[in-house]
């Protein structure tokens, strides 16, 4: 299956994509993770993308599309994959169409903006291994250090309330129109994000399984 997750930053796309990847045995193609790795490694692309991500802006289309195309050509994508964080604009979606890539299902995870700002403000990450925690919903053992390697947890600049608000504005203006774009193709399934992550996961599974049938 070729699956895409839509939703505002902090809506839970990454969590559901990871679960779905494990359940179906297909890889998750996360643009955000690829870009963050490039920034961490100070690659040419990472340095170019850094100024955009830190201010909550989008990385240019030509950079993102090139990364995705290269990734989808790898052997582990032959039996399907999950797109998480791409496309972000209708132009990028049209670029996918031009590459001959059609989605079996587009899962739109929807959460109120105020709830998202609260969620993102509590997110903490390990700079060493990339593990993600939350001060309220998923704290580490001591709430300060990573359980995997003991590294001090930090808050990414793009998780601060001010930057999140800007990112949400960009999402509503540039990315949310994708819902209508894919709805016109008859492949959108809406999942309303729940307080309990397991409940959101159950609804996501049901949405995807309804397509498989």
């Amino acid at each position: 299956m070729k699956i895409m997750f839509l939703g505002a930053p902090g809506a839970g796309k990454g969590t559901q994509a990871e679960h779905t990847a494990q359940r179906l045995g297909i890889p998750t193609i996360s643009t955000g993770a690829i870009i963050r790795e490039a920034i961490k490694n100070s690659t040419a692309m990472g340095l170019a993308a850094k100024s955009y991500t830190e201010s909550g802006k989008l990385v240019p289309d030509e950079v993102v599309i090139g990364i995705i195309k290269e990734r989808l050509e790898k052997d582990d994508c032959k039996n399907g994959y999950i797109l998480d964080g791409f496309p972000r604009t209708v132009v990028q979606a049209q670029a996918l169409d031009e590459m001959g890539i059609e989605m079996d299902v587009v899962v739109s995870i929807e959460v109120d903006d105020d709830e998202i700002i609260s969620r993102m403000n509590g997110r903490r990450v390990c700079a060493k291994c990339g593990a993600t925690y939350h001060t309220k919903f998923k704290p580490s053992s001591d709430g300060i250090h990573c359980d995997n390697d003991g590294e001090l947890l930090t808050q990414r600049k793009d998780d601060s309330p001010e930057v999140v608000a800007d990112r949400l504005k960009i999402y509503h203006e540039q990315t949310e129109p994708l819902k209508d774009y894919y709805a016109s193709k008859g492949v959108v399934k809406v999942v309303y994000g729940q307080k309990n992550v397991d409940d959101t996961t159950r609804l996501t599974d049901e949405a995807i399984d309804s397509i498989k049938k």
Side-chain angles (χ1 to χ4, degrees), residues 7 12 43 47 52 56 63 100 107 129 142 148-149 184 186:
T43 65
L47 293 173
Y52 291 94
V63 176
V107 181
C129 73
D142 66 1
N148 297 332
D149 48 40
S184 69

Side-chain angles (χ1 to χ4, degrees), residues 22-113:
Q22 293 176 351
R23 187 169 78 99
L24 301 182
I26 56 179
T28 297
I29 312 303
S30 173
T31 310
I34 294 172
I35 292 175
R36 284 195 294 273
E37 182 178 358
I39 291 173
K40 179 182 176 182
N41 294 332
S42 296
T43 65
M45 188 198 74
L47 293 173
K50 186 174 182 179
S51 62
Y52 291 94
T53 58
E54 287 191 345
S55 61
K57 295 180 181 178
L58 300 178
V59 177
D61 283 354
E62 61 270 18
V63 176
V64 180
I65 291 169
I67 297 168
I68 293 295
K69 183 177 181 180
E70 191 172 73
R71 181 65 182 88
L72 296 183
E73 290 173 349
K74 294 188 177 181
D75 288 343
D76 63 342
C77 291
K78 288 182 177 178
N79 295 320
Y81 46 80
I82 297 167
L83 292 182
D84 172 24
F86 182 90
R88 292 181 185 272
T89 65
V90 171
V91 170
Q92 290 180 349
Q94 291 169 339
L96 277 184
D97 291 344
E98 292 171 3
M99 290 162 58
I101 296 171
E102 296 183 359
M103 295 293 108
D104 293 308
V105 59
V106 174
V107 181
S108 179
I109 300 179
E110 303 187 4
V111 179
D112 289 341
D113 284 3

Side-chain angles (χ1 to χ4, degrees), residues 1 13 70 92 104 117 181 206:
M1 290 191 75
K13 299 187 302 297
E70 191 172 73
Q92 290 180 349
D104 293 308
I117 291 173
Y181 182 82
E206 290 174 357

Side-chain angles (χ1 to χ4, degrees), residues 10 15 18 32 83 97 119 133 142 145 147 164 170-171 175 193 201:
T15 298
E18 181 180 358
L83 292 182
D97 291 344
R119 288 185 184 183
Y133 300 88
D142 66 1
H145 301 89
D147 290 338
V164 171
I170 292 171
Y171 171 79
T175 305
T201 298

